[in-house]
Each structure stands twice: as C-alpha cells, then as structure tokens.
Amino acid sequence: MANLDYEQKLNSKPYRFFDQVYRLLVLNVITILLGATVIGLFPAFVATTVTLKQGNQMNVFKQFFKNFLHYFKKSFFVGLILFILYFMDLYGIYFYAKSEVLDPNPENLTLLFVNAGFLVCFVAFFIITILSVHLPLLIITFEKLTVGEIYRTSLYVTFRYILTTLVLLVLQVLIIGSFVYCMFDARFLAVWLLVGITLPVFLQVKVTTPIYYKLSQIDFEKIIHQVDEEEEEENE
C-alpha cells in the first residue's frame, strides 16, 4: 500500500510540475557555469537540450553529464565553426561600418562597395543565426551525421520549416535578450540565472517534437551521400 501511494505521488501533476521546475533550475545553473568556460558553452547547451528532450529518466546531474560527455566532441566542433562564422561576419560588419568614404557621392563606386559589403554581412548574420537554432536538435537527432552534414541538413530544415524556425529564433533571442536586459535591470538577473536559458530551450523542445519525430524517420546520411555521388559523376 505504501509503495502504491508513493507511485501515485510520483505520477501526480503537482509532483511532476515541481520536479520539472527543479530540473529547469539545476540545468540552468549548470549550463551557465559550463558556459562561462567558453569551451563548454555550446556542448552544455546541447546537453541541456537533449536532457530536457529525454525527460525525467534519472538523476538530473547524472543525466546531464552523461549527455555532455556523449555529445561533447561533435557539439564542440559545430560550436567552433559557428563561433568562427560569427566572428568573421561581425568583423565584416565592423569593417564596413567604420570605413570612411571621402566622396559621399552616391555614384562613387567605393561608397557602393562599402554599402553592399555592409548589407551582405548583415544578411549573412541573419542567415547564420536562423541556421544555428536547429543545430542542437540536429546533433542529438542525427548522431551519425558529420559536422559538415549537420550544417547541410540545417540549411534544409531551416527553410523547409521556416515558421518553426522563426519560433525557435524568437526563443533564442529571448535567451540573449533577457541576458542583455539584466545589464540594465539587475533585479531581473535572479530570474535569468534560474530559468533564463532552460525555459526557452524547454519550449523549443516542445515546439519541435512533432517535426523532429518526422525528420528522425529520414535517412539524411544516405541522401547526402547519394547527392555527393551524383555530383562526382557529373563532374567526371
């Protein structure tokens, strides 16, 4: 009878709610601590995503670090490439924004080049950002894909499910935007430290569950290899 009452308690809605809140709090703190090392930022984000996606399977600490170690290598290199892309693009924006044109005449080719360069970098920044929102979910859904194939698949998924991508983008901006807001209002910092990362990620997982269930049925590795083979045959 005691065991039955305990199981009913575990399956009750109040218990599951507070257990989920506890997991969000713990994962948020761990992600911030590992993210502060820079090297562990993206792997920690991926580990948090997969831990929330898996649900309550075991002790949250054990579950997180198991996922962190399992996905570390691939997520590290995916994150490194993303960092390099952002760095190059932001440097380009800075370069063109600071470029001085002596002749402000609209027909001046130098001015046109500077304006075009700034516009291209700005558009590239937006494209990199919308591509990045799917990366954690792709890493954990398609473990056999290489780093390059992850980015190629992200390009397809991003524009194939553009509405979902925009929702993910809003939630991603919420994470960064709320952190920036903390710099102006320290009172909000406590909230961000508790659920500023994990709550938006939790919503991302919930929003994308049906889509990624369908995507998981697709053998992207086979499709990518077939495309590569066809391209090699055409080049020959």
Side-chain angles (χ1 to χ4, degrees):
M1 181 64 70
N3 290 334
L4 181 60
D5 292 338
Y6 181 70
E7 289 181 6
Q8 290 178 343
K9 179 181 178 181
L10 291 179
N11 294 323
S12 65
K13 290 183 178 180
Y15 180 86
R16 283 184 293 173
F17 171 77
F18 286 109
D19 180 64
Q20 186 63 62
V21 171
Y22 168 75
R23 291 169 64 82
L24 291 175
L25 297 177
V26 171
L27 290 172
N28 203 80
V29 174
I30 297 175
T31 303
I32 292 173
L33 292 176
L34 290 175
T37 65
V38 180
I39 295 177
L41 177 59
F42 197 76
F45 194 84
V46 172
T48 294
T49 302
V50 67
T51 302
L52 290 173
K53 191 175 181 68
Q54 290 170 341
N56 189 4
Q57 295 185 354
M58 60 181 77
N59 178 279
V60 64
F61 290 96
K62 182 178 180 180
Q63 188 177 0
F64 173 87
F65 284 105
K66 179 181 178 181
N67 290 323
F68 182 79
L69 294 174
H70 180 73
Y71 293 99
F72 180 82
K73 183 177 179 180
K74 183 178 292 184
S75 59
F76 171 76
F77 284 108
V78 170
L80 180 62
I81 292 175
L82 187 63
F83 173 79
I84 293 173
L85 290 174
Y86 268 123
F87 178 81
M88 293 173 61
D89 190 69
L90 290 173
Y91 179 78
I93 292 175
Y94 173 81
F95 173 80
Y96 288 114
K98 289 293 183 179
S99 297
E100 295 184 3
V101 180
L102 299 178
D103 183 6
N105 189 332
E107 297 181 359
N108 186 354
L109 292 178
T110 304
L111 179 61
L112 292 175
F113 173 78
V114 170
N115 289 337
F118 182 82
L119 180 61
V120 169
C121 288
F122 187 81
V123 172
F125 180 86
F126 178 74
I127 293 175
I128 293 170
T129 302
I130 62 173
L131 287 177
S132 69
V133 299
H134 283 281
L135 293 177
L137 290 164
L138 288 173
I139 290 173
I140 63 181
T141 304
F142 304 102
E143 296 189 30
K144 294 183 179 180
L145 294 183
T146 64
V147 172
E149 290 169 348
I150 288 290
Y151 273 96
R152 292 173 66 178
T153 306
S154 177
L155 187 64
Y156 165 77
V157 174
T158 294
F159 293 101
R160 173 64 178 81
Y161 301 97
I162 188 63
L163 292 179
T164 301
T165 299
L166 293 176
V167 173
L168 294 179
L169 178 62
V170 170
L171 293 171
Q172 199 82 337
V173 170
L174 181 62
I175 296 174
I176 301 172
S178 59
F179 175 71
V180 173
Y181 182 77
C182 292
M183 299 180 182
F184 300 95
D185 189 352
R187 294 172 298 179
F188 190 74
L189 181 61
V191 178
W192 189 85
L193 290 173
L194 293 176
V195 293
I197 297 175
T198 50
L199 182 57
V201 172
F202 177 75
L203 294 175
Q204 286 180 332
V205 169
K206 290 299 182 182
V207 167
T208 58
T209 295
I211 291 175
Y212 272 87
Y213 174 76
K214 294 179 181 179
L215 290 174
S216 65
Q217 310 303 311
I218 303 174
D219 191 345
F220 277 103
E221 183 182 20
K222 182 179 179 180
I223 294 173
I224 291 173
H225 290 170
Q226 287 179 344
V227 172
D228 289 340
E229 289 175 0
E230 291 175 359
E231 289 180 351
E232 289 178 359
E233 292 177 357
E234 291 177 359
N235 293 331
E236 293 176 356

